[in-house]
Amino acid sequence: MNADKHPIVIAHRGASGYLPEHTLAAKALAHAMGADFLEQDVVLSRDGVAIVLHDIHLDSTTDVAQRFPGRARSDGRFYAIDFDLHEIRQLRLHERTHISGEHCGNAVYPLRFPAAHALFHIPTLQEEIEMLAGLDRSRDCRTGLYIELKSPNWHRKQGLDLAAAVLAVLDTTGYSERPGQVFLQCFDDRTLQQLKQALKTPLPMIQLIGENGWGEDSAVDYEFLRTPAGLDYIAGYAQGIGPHLPHIYLGKSASGEARLSPLVEHAQARGLAVHPYTFRRDELPAGIASFEELLDIFVCMAGVDGLFTDFPDIVVDYLRRAGAAA
Ligand code: CA
């Protein structure tokens, strides 16, 4: 690890290991824990308001099915884009639960905040940014935004332009010209190119890399993106990549050594920062004995430039100790 420039800590959906994801409470906690950037996943309401929500659906984290029965589509799901903001404001938000299968109704992460306590609400993007800016002032610090545009092509098919809506909020809140304080991330390459080339934002772009089988809202081939030619392509419009942990950590050798892919080296050689997701204390990859070991592999061995984590306090503390030892 480079002692001058420690990897950035990105609070994944806020301090979501401790409070329900994308609540203002989880964001305030992450701010207090010293995260460098706080993540916002953004979708649009029916009246075109940018709200902070991970899914295009409302049913995994809110009481929408009880409050608005009969408003599901034919697939049984409740879509944020079918509700106006004043309706979304009536929903109570809780820890993420399974909505089908044998664990239906149970918390996805059983040791986290009790899912039965629906104490929270969905914030708009503008409200969240205003709270963070306020905390930056009252705590005399500078925290960054790390905004993901969720399913932009799907939004367009529903008649709404997500990229334009996000940029409008950044304009309103004074963040649209702060390239050191805002990242824009997306699984769709075309959307990032549109932001840069057509909408001419100066903000840095992060190309998220998933698996082709996940059904992400993009025609791009993620296996290609991880190749040297794919990274050359990304370097034409983005400043970094957000790969999945298994794209870098390949498991252990017979002698117990961590095996790494060349992805970090290949990306950094092209000037691309590498911010993998997601570092969770309660969901360790196979063969990893502790959260500390996971961080050792990615920070000390792989040399990543940032980490998306549900547990920002632990990563901040780890990096502080690693920096002190360097
Ligand atoms: Ca995200």
Side-chain angles (χ1 to χ4, degrees):
M1 168 181 138
N2 181 340
D4 307 330
K5 196 169 158 273
H6 76 72
I8 59 169
V9 179
I10 306 149
H12 181 248
R13 312 182 199 171
S16 57
Y18 305 103
L19 281 160
E21 66 183 54
H22 289 318
T23 57
L24 290 182
K27 300 299 166 67
L29 185 59
H31 196 284
M33 285 173 166
D36 299 299
F37 286 81
L38 307 188
E39 189 200 30
Q40 297 79 31
D41 290 309
V42 178
V43 304
L44 297 179
S45 64
R46 182 165 59 190
D47 44 350
V49 180
I51 60 173
V52 182
L53 185 71
H54 178 267
D55 305 348
I56 58 174
H57 312 113
L58 291 159
D59 28 359
S60 298
T61 56
T62 78
D63 61 352
V64 66
Q66 290 80 47
R67 208 164 283 266
F68 294 102
R71 294 279 294 274
R73 292 197 183 185
S74 57
D75 61 0
R77 304 301 304 268
F78 295 80
Y79 289 76
I81 208 163
D82 293 337
F83 293 81
D84 288 330
L85 180 64
H86 78 89
E87 295 173 319
I88 287 171
R89 288 201 187 285
Q90 297 170 42
L91 302 177
R92 303 292 293 245
L93 192 154
H94 55 70
E95 182 69 27
R96 175 172 291 271
T97 55
H98 295 283
I99 57 149
S100 61
E102 58 171 319
H103 299 293
C104 186
N106 294 339
V108 172
Y109 297 100
L111 300 180
R112 297 190 180 183
F113 196 86
H117 296 183
L119 303 173
F120 307 96
H121 296 94
I122 295 173
T124 69
L125 179 60
Q126 182 165 340
E127 287 165 349
E128 177 163 331
I129 292 174
E130 286 171 354
M131 186 193 74
L132 298 180
L135 277 170
D136 273 1
R137 190 167 100 152
S138 58
R139 299 188 65 235
D140 190 21
C141 59
R142 200 183 77 154
T143 308
L145 312 177
Y146 207 123
I147 300 173
E148 179 178 352
L149 291 87
K150 304 296 287 192
S151 303
N153 297 310
W154 184 84
H155 276 87
R156 193 171 305 113
K157 285 184 205 129
Q158 309 290 317
L160 293 176
D161 185 340
L162 179 59
V166 166
L167 289 185
V169 173
L170 292 174
D171 257 339
T172 301
T173 51
Y175 279 76
S176 56
E177 305 284 332
R178 298 193 203 177
Q181 208 176 350
V182 185
F183 284 104
L184 298 176
Q185 47 163 339
C186 195
F187 278 103
D188 183 44
D189 55 332
R190 295 293 177 82
T191 297
L192 294 176
Q193 292 164 6
Q194 177 204 0
L195 282 159
K196 181 181 166 70
Q197 291 153 9
L199 300 172
K200 303 204 179 302
T201 171
L203 302 174
M205 308 287 164
I206 300 293
Q207 172 69 57
L208 296 173
I209 302 179
E211 298 289 346
N212 289 336
W214 287 354
E216 290 295 340
D217 175 50
S218 179
V220 77
D221 178 349
Y222 296 110
E223 284 187 25
F224 165 70
L225 290 187
R226 287 153 54 198
T227 65
L231 293 165
D232 284 339
Y233 168 70
I234 294 171
Y237 59 86
Q239 282 63 49
I241 58 171
H244 193 208
L245 299 185
H247 296 156
I248 295 172
Y249 167 70
L250 305 177
K252 296 276 180 76
S253 68
S255 59
E257 291 292 304
R259 294 187 301 116
L260 301 180
S261 78
L263 182 63
V264 176
E265 189 184 330
H266 288 171
Q268 290 174 342
R270 289 160 175 80
L272 293 168
V274 182
H275 300 165
Y277 62 90
T278 304
F279 292 82
R280 294 182 168 118
R281 181 177 60 181
D282 50 1
E283 191 177 69
L284 298 173
I288 304 284
S290 68
F291 198 49
E292 181 104 0
E293 183 189 2
L294 180 66
L295 296 175
D296 278 342
I297 290 168
F298 279 83
V299 174
C300 301
M301 287 181 63
V304 299
D305 303 287
L307 307 90
F308 282 94
T309 182
D310 295 358
F311 299 91
D313 57 333
I314 304 178
V315 179
V316 167
D317 179 61
Y318 171 89
L319 293 174
R320 201 169 280 147
R321 284 185 282 120

